[in-house]
C-alpha cells in the first residue's frame, strides 16, 4: 500500500512544510454496532484528533466510482456492498500521527488504518518516505530492501530504524498526550527505512517496494514525521 500523507509542521520546519494528516480508520465488514460505537469513541479520545466523520458504504462507493471513471473495466466490478465503512479525522500533530495509526489498528472492529494527504496549499517541496518492514522480515530481505532504497537516485538521508528505536521515538513524542503513550505497545512497531525525496521527482517507482519480500507498507509522509 502506497499512501501520501500530510501533517503539521514543527517550529523547525519551513512554512512550506505545513499541513495536517488525515486519518482513515476502515471498519471490518462484519463489525457490530457496539464495536462501531467503540471505535468512534476511541478515535474521538485520541489527542490532537479533530473533525471525526463517518463515511458510509454508499459514500465510499461514490468516491471510488469517481476515481475509477477512466477505468471502466475496474468500475464494472465495483459494488457498494464491497466498500467498507470508515471514520475519517484530522491529526493536527505530526509527531504522534504514526502512534495514533498503530494504536487504532489494534482496536476491535477495525480492518485497516491509513494516513492520507490532507489538502494543503502550497505543496511542500520535499516528502519523507517510510518503507516499513514486516515483523518476520529476515536479514537477507532487509539487506535487499536497503539495496533498493539506496539505488533510488533522489533518496536523501537514508536511515534504518529498528522496532525498538521506533517504539522509543513514538513513546517520547506521546508523553503528555493523554493515555496514548500507555496504549502504545512495543509489538505494534516495525523496523523501517526512512528517507527524503524532492516532491517534484517521479515517485512511481516507490510502488514497486511493496512487492519486495519483507516489506509491509510504503508511506509517503511529510518530512516532519521522519
Amino acid at each position: 500500500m502506497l499512501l501520501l500523507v500530510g501533517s503539521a509542521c514543527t517550529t523547525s520546519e519551513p512554512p512550506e512544510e505545513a499541513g495536517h494528516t488525515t486519518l482513515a480508520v476502515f471498519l471490518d465488514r462484519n463489525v457490530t454496532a457496539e464495536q462501531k460505537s467503540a471505535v468512534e469513541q476511541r478515535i474521538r479520545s485520541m489527542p490532537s484528533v479533530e473533525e471525526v466523520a463517518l463515511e458510509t458504504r454508499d459514500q465510499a462507493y461514490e468516491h471510488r466510482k469517481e476515481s475509477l471513471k477512466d477505468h471502466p473495466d475496474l468500475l464494472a466490478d465495483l459494488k457498494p456492498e464491497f466498500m467498507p465503512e470508515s471514520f475519517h479525522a484530522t491529526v493536527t500533530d505530526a509527531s504522534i500521527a504514526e502512534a495514533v495509526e498503530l494504536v487504532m489498528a489494534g482496536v476491535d472492529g477495525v480492518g485497516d488504518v491509513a494516513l492520507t494527504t490532507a489538502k494543503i496549499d502550497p505543496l511542500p517541496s520535499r516528502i519523507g518516505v517510510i518503507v516499513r518492514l514486516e515483523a518476520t522480515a529476515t536479514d537477507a530481505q532487509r539487506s535487499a530492501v536497503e539495496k533498493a532504497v539506496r539505488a533510488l537516485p533522489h533518496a536523501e538521508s537514508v536511515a534504518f530504524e529498528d522496532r525498538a528505536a521506533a517504539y522509543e521515538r513514538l513513546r517520547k513524542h506521546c508523553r503528555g498526550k493523554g493515555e496514548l503513550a500507555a496504549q502504545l505497545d512495543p509489538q505494534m512497531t516495525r523496523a523501517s527505512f526512512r528517507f527524503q525525496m524532492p516532491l517534484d521527482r517521479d515517485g512511481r517507482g516507490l510502488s514497486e517496494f511493496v512487492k519486495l519480500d519483507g516489506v509491509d507498507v510504503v508511506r509517503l509522509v511529510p518530512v516532519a514525521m521522519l
Side-chain angles (χ1 to χ4, degrees), residues 36-56:
K36 180 177 175 180
S37 177
V39 170
E40 180 175 7
Q41 291 178 20
R42 191 68 172 272
I43 298 172
R44 292 185 181 279
S45 72
M46 288 288 174
S48 302
V49 173
E50 303 176 353
E51 303 174 348
V52 180
L54 174 68
E55 182 178 71
T56 66

Side-chain angles (χ1 to χ4, degrees), residues 200-221:
D200 61 353
R201 297 298 181 179
D202 188 353
R204 288 178 296 179
L206 294 173
S207 62
E208 297 300 313
F209 277 83
V210 298
K211 302 176 183 178
L212 295 177
D213 291 337
V215 172
D216 177 33
V217 68
V218 178
R219 298 205 187 283
L220 305 186
V221 303

Side-chain angles (χ1 to χ4, degrees), residues 62-130:
E62 291 300 324
H63 291 157
R64 186 61 174 160
K65 185 171 67 173
E66 176 64 21
S67 68
L68 293 176
K69 62 183 179 181
D70 296 326
H71 303 277
D73 53 332
L74 298 177
L75 187 58
D77 296 328
L78 191 67
K79 304 294 181 185
E81 57 267 27
F82 296 158
M83 306 300 297
E85 288 186 294
S86 58
F87 287 102
H88 295 259
T90 299
V91 185
T92 61
D93 185 345
S95 69
I96 65 169
E98 199 171 356
V100 172
E101 172 203 5
L102 296 175
V103 170
M104 288 306 307
V107 178
D108 288 342
V110 172
D112 195 12
V113 181
L115 296 172
T116 58
T117 308
K119 294 181 179 179
I120 57 174
D121 186 19
L123 290 173
S125 62
R126 299 170 298 151
I127 55 170
V129 183
I130 300 174

Side-chain angles (χ1 to χ4, degrees), residues 4 10 23 44-45 80 104 115 118 129 132 140-141 145 190 192:
L4 181 63
T10 64
L23 176 76
R44 292 185 181 279
S45 72
M104 288 306 307
L115 296 172
V129 183
R132 192 179 293 167
Q141 290 171 339
V145 174
R190 296 288 182 268
S192 64

Side-chain angles (χ1 to χ4, degrees), residues 134-206:
E134 296 175 345
T136 56
T138 65
D139 289 342
Q141 290 171 339
R142 170 187 159 181
S143 295
V145 174
E146 180 173 11
K147 182 178 180 180
V149 168
R150 295 190 180 279
L152 291 170
H154 304 293
E156 304 169 0
S157 305
V158 177
F160 175 76
E161 181 181 65
D162 64 29
R163 64 188 307 173
Y167 172 70
E168 288 303 321
R169 172 178 56 83
L170 293 174
R171 189 169 66 92
K172 178 181 178 180
H173 287 310
C174 290
R175 290 172 184 165
K177 300 292 184 177
E179 299 180 358
L180 186 57
Q183 295 170 349
L184 187 67
D185 188 278
Q187 297 304 311
M188 295 176 180
T189 59
R190 296 288 182 268
S192 64
F193 288 96
R194 310 165 82 88
F195 55 96
Q196 301 179 26
M197 292 183 67
L199 185 61
D200 61 353
R201 297 298 181 179
D202 188 353
R204 288 178 296 179
L206 294 173

